[in-house]
Amino acid sequence: LDLIANEPLFLLAPPDAHLKASMCILLEVYQCKGRLCPYDKCVGWTAFPLVTAAFSVAAGKMKAPMLRGQVDSSVKLYRTLEKRYKLDLDNWLGNVYFKVSKMSRWLNHDKEYAVRMQYTSDLLGFDPTKEEQ
């Protein structure tokens, strides 16, 4: 079964000077509430290192194995995640393929903070250009 979700996702990563080796991208797949399931539930998850060995944000095409069930917070290392599905193939849900691209921290001559505030304001329906009277 192929499930194609060709949707861009954006995240703000810290500058290289503030990166930590433990930072990762966590992806979860949810079964949404419906006729067969009375509540939303996590059916699969994966974690992928955000930081390279050179302490910069990872970029390029990536592949990560997905495990069945909810996120297991006891998994601290990527090799532990790999070991889980290698020891018991029933834990393996499938693979996730994705592409990570670095984007500029400047957009239309605005700093990152201004871009984030504009995006958040649009989500909330708030116009920051209007002054309260």
Side-chain angles (χ1 to χ4, degrees), residues 5-108:
N6 194 11
E7 293 291 326
L9 300 173
F10 298 94
L11 68 97
L12 294 171
D16 288 350
H18 296 138
L19 290 176
K20 296 179 183 175
S22 60
M23 292 180 170
C24 66
I25 299 170
L26 177 68
L27 300 170
E28 295 176 289
V29 175
Y30 274 82
Q31 177 182 359
C32 293
K33 176 181 169 180
R35 186 173 50 88
L36 299 175
C37 186
Y39 52 88
D40 295 345
K41 74 176 185 176
C42 180
V43 294
W45 67 280
T46 190
F48 195 82
L50 178 65
V51 181
T52 66
F55 278 90
S56 63
V57 175
K61 293 182 179 182
M62 313 291 181
K63 176 182 114 173
M66 290 206 87
L67 298 180
R68 290 186 190 279
Q70 296 186 6
V71 176
D72 184 354
S73 60
S74 70
V75 175
K76 302 291 183 198
L77 299 172
Y78 186 72
R79 66 175 157 231
T80 308
L81 185 135
E82 289 179 320
K83 201 181 287 185
R84 289 269 174 102
Y85 74 88
K86 286 180 178 177
L87 292 175
D88 185 6
L89 200 54
D90 287 337
N91 285 330
W92 181 65
L93 184 61
N95 290 328
V96 175
Y97 299 88
F98 57 98
K99 181 180 175 184
V100 177
S101 302
K102 292 183 184 179
M103 298 175 67
S104 172
R105 291 191 176 272
W106 293 83
L107 183 66
N108 299 330

